[in-house]
Amino acid sequence: MLMYTAEMKRNMAEPLADKKEAVEQLLKRLALDGCKDVMIGSATVKGISGGQAKRTNIGIALITNPRVLFLDEPTSGLDSYTANEVMTVVKHLVADGTTICATIHSPTSYCFKLFDQLMMLVRGQVLYFGDIAESTKFATSGCSGVKEMTAGYNEAEFLVDFVTEADRQNRGGELADYYLSTALAKSNMAELDRYLNEKAELPEHIIKELSTKSPTVTPWWFGLKTLIKYRTTRNYKDANFLGPRIGDKIVMSLLIMTLYLAVGDDFNQSNIINISAVLFMWITLPAFGAAAYIPSLVLERNLFIRERADGMYYVITYFLAKMFDELTIACLITLPVSAFVFAGVKLQGLWIMFWLHYFLTLCNGIVLAYFVAALSPNMDIANALLPTYVVTLLFFAGFLFRFDDMPPWWKWYSYINFMRYGWSGLMVNQFSGKNGDPEYMEGLTVLQYYNIDGIEKWAHTGFLSLFFIVFFVGAWLTLSYKKYTNR
């Protein structure tokens, strides 16, 4: 994780060996060198301890050698021993020249004493900002009668309880007013004004750092390469990632091939419906299977929000990396399964067309799943929206309802249905081969009966590609502009 962050956030002109050396030094500073090769883990996968995870998060911020580090509740969720361990490491960072600003709730007495200065807030108002050793005496003298420090209290616990109780008694404003009336507040304001009015010339290297105009350190293509180097290779070794993307294709191809074994070259009138059905199922299954791709985006949302806010990559970089992950696997698995089904069913026409329409329909299903996942606030809504939309597409693909039989007020929907173009293209491919387009019903040929005679199958391939572009742009724009957190 730290090496990945170093490649993303440090200057790409810096040699890789120097980045590795910086990561090694950081691991030692954070006492993480003993677990550097251990998986971080998750809610379902065992990994490093809670304290090590907190220190790893700190390391992610330190990899660029910041002058100031803001930590939001670095001890939350940790037991007292682990909290003390984390904050001791943080204190050592101060000795190395890093200024640390941290919000902390209910610190242990040991943690509390590690801080040099304390700022107490209530409802956005400053109650105290000064030496931590004077904080308790200051609070009690500023608002008497709220709470007494009895035996068993440590200073940190007492201050939290004191300020909370004062706020409940509607006396928080009294504390804030008292602070503003003191010499301490006036001294703090004077020092702040002095800093703001300081005219000292900044060193050239600091001016260069502050004048950056790009939201990321590295360009989009370098970020894409880095994501593929670390994320893609990790995903391709993960059975939980590969299983849903490969297993269903193998199972469904076996089922279709064995159910429709050798029906593809039988053009008897009674068998036409079987050929039409197998081609319809071949297009339907990848669209329905798109639900397997929703968790990939929804479960990574918090990580995406954090890394994007941290300037790790552009949205397009992240999304292109996700598409590379998905479409590479889709291409590799659809080639053999389509050849297996095409040969086993003895379908006619071009195999490349049979594969291409399956692959493009799957690509549309994948990017559609990402689009729905980007739009949805949570997994439940995404899992409800996607199959609902896909089911509506089935009715207008041309097999269940012929195009001429559709009510005129619904016919428009068939034109914005990517499954229509997938199935129609496969039908033309099947019935324009060496056996031609046989007579089927009502004196009409198969293609005439389904109202798809005269279409150009390669044009429908192009339409499938256009649908992919539309869904891709929709997902990208949603990820770019949708706000997922309300603060």
Side-chain angles (χ1 to χ4, degrees):
M1 186 66 185
L2 291 178
M3 195 62 218
Y4 156 74
T5 306
E7 290 212 51
M8 281 292 206
K9 297 199 67 179
R10 294 174 76 100
N11 195 314
M12 71 177 196
E14 182 182 3
L16 184 61
D18 292 353
K19 293 177 183 178
K20 289 181 178 179
E21 178 61 27
V23 168
E24 289 295 330
Q25 291 178 3
L26 187 56
L27 288 170
K28 291 176 183 177
R29 287 174 68 192
L30 296 174
L32 289 170
D33 46 332
C35 64
K36 64 180 181 180
D37 296 321
V38 179
M39 185 184 297
I40 291 179
S42 65
T44 57
V45 180
K46 185 178 180 180
I48 58 178
S49 69
Q52 290 168 337
K54 290 285 186 180
R55 281 179 275 149
T56 301
N57 279 330
I58 295 170
I60 289 171
L62 288 173
I63 198 65
T64 54
N65 299 319
R67 291 174 175 79
V68 180
L69 182 63
F70 292 90
L71 301 178
D72 186 16
E73 302 182 31
T75 61
S76 294
L78 302 179
D79 58 72
S80 59
Y81 175 84
T82 308
N84 291 343
E85 179 185 52
V86 169
M87 293 311 297
T88 299
V89 171
V90 170
K91 182 67 174 181
H92 290 159
L93 298 176
V94 176
D96 293 337
T98 305
T99 300
I100 308 289
C101 297
T103 60
I104 192 165
H105 298 289
S106 302
T108 64
S109 180
Y110 173 81
C111 282
F112 188 68
K113 295 294 185 183
L114 290 174
F115 287 90
D116 298 310
Q117 289 190 304
L118 170 70
M119 176 181 282
M120 291 190 297
L121 301 170
V122 65
R123 300 185 185 275
Q125 294 179 294
V126 179
L127 308 184
Y128 176 76
F129 180 39
D131 193 336
I132 203 161
E134 302 296 325
S135 56
T136 302
K137 179 181 178 182
F138 184 92
T140 52
S141 61
C143 197
S144 60
V146 173
K147 198 174 187 69
E148 297 296 327
M149 187 169 180
T150 56
Y153 261 126
N154 64 49
E155 286 185 86
E157 291 174 337
F158 175 72
L159 279 172
V160 171
D161 286 0
F162 182 89
V163 171
T164 302
E165 185 63 30
D167 183 44
R168 287 179 177 175
Q169 295 179 14
N170 295 319
R171 298 182 67 184
E174 184 180 329
L175 270 173
D177 292 340
Y178 173 72
Y179 167 72
L180 291 174
S181 67
T182 62
L184 175 62
K186 293 178 174 59
S187 173
N188 287 338
M189 291 300 296
E191 187 171 7
L192 179 61
D193 288 338
R194 181 174 64 81
Y195 283 132
L196 291 174
N197 295 320
E198 210 170 52
K199 300 296 183 181
E201 295 251 346
L202 293 174
E204 186 177 341
H205 68 281
I206 295 181
I207 294 175
K208 186 177 179 180
E209 288 179 20
L210 295 175
S211 62
T212 180
K213 296 180 180 179
S214 174
T216 66
V217 175
T218 55
W220 71 268
W221 59 266
F222 188 86
L224 177 60
K225 185 182 79 168
T226 304
L227 282 168
I228 292 172
K229 177 180 177 180
Y230 289 95
R231 295 272 177 87
T232 302
T233 53
R234 181 200 65 192
N235 289 337
Y236 286 2
K237 296 175 184 177
D238 185 359
N240 293 324
F241 180 85
L242 295 175
R245 291 160 174 78
I246 295 176
D248 67 319
K249 316 297 186 297
I250 295 174
V251 172
M252 289 299 107
S253 64
L254 280 170
L255 181 62
I256 288 176
M257 197 278 288
T258 52
L259 278 173
Y260 296 95
L261 186 64
V263 305
D265 61 352
D266 180 2
F267 279 28
N268 287 324
Q269 186 177 16
S270 61
N271 191 55
I272 296 298
I273 188 65
N274 293 326
I275 297 175
S276 304
V278 71
L279 296 177
F280 181 70
M281 291 302 297
W282 191 242
I283 291 300
T284 300
L285 290 174
F288 266 108
Y293 300 90
I294 285 178
S296 180
L297 195 62
V298 176
L299 296 180
E300 275 192 9
R301 183 171 291 167
N302 290 336
L303 177 66
F304 164 71
I305 292 170
R306 188 192 73 191
E307 291 188 338
R308 181 191 176 192
D310 203 26
M312 295 278 276
Y313 41 63
Y314 296 96
V315 174
I316 190 63
T317 303
Y318 172 79
F319 195 44
L320 284 173
K322 298 296 287 184
M323 287 295 101
F324 179 87
D325 282 8
E326 304 292 8
L327 301 189
T328 301
I329 295 177
C331 180
L332 293 176
I333 189 59
T334 55
L335 283 167
V337 298
S338 63
F340 175 72
V341 172
F342 190 84
V345 181
K346 292 188 177 181
L347 293 167
Q348 305 301 297
L350 301 173
W351 165 77
I352 190 69
M353 177 63 66
F354 182 73
W355 165 73
L356 194 55
H357 275 229
Y358 179 58
F359 173 64
L360 288 175
T361 304
L362 178 59
C363 291
N364 275 286
I366 292 170
V367 76
L368 173 62
Y370 274 73
F371 188 17
V372 171
L375 285 170
S376 304
N378 55 56
M379 184 86 76
D380 291 336
I381 292 177
N383 283 331
L385 283 177
L386 182 62
T388 301
Y389 174 64
V390 172
V391 167
T392 66
L393 299 180
L394 299 182
F395 293 102
F396 301 93
F399 177 67
L400 300 180
F401 269 100
R402 295 187 302 167
F403 297 122
D404 284 354
D405 293 338
M406 294 178 188
W409 53 86
W410 273 114
K411 191 168 289 189
W412 63 271
Y413 196 57
S414 68
Y415 292 101
I416 58 171
N417 181 355
F418 67 90
M419 292 175 61
R420 164 196 174 154
Y421 299 99
W423 180 72
S424 297
L426 288 184
M427 287 289 285
V428 172
N429 184 58
Q430 172 71 18
F431 293 107
S432 60
K434 62 181 180 180
N435 294 326
D437 185 12
E439 186 174 335
Y440 182 36
M441 295 177 67
E442 303 171 4
L444 302 174
T445 66
V446 175
L447 298 182
Q448 289 172 340
Y449 177 77
Y450 284 111
N451 313 124
I452 52 178
D453 57 312
I455 71 166
E456 173 53 54
K457 58 187 178 183
W458 288 107
H460 279 220
T461 306
F463 289 140
L464 282 173
S465 302
L466 286 176
F467 273 98
F468 176 83
I469 294 171
V470 170
F471 289 139
F472 180 94
V473 171
W476 168 44
L477 292 176
T478 303
L479 285 171
S480 298
Y481 296 108
K482 183 174 172 60
K483 303 297 183 183
Y484 293 105
T485 55
N486 294 316
R487 296 294 298 248

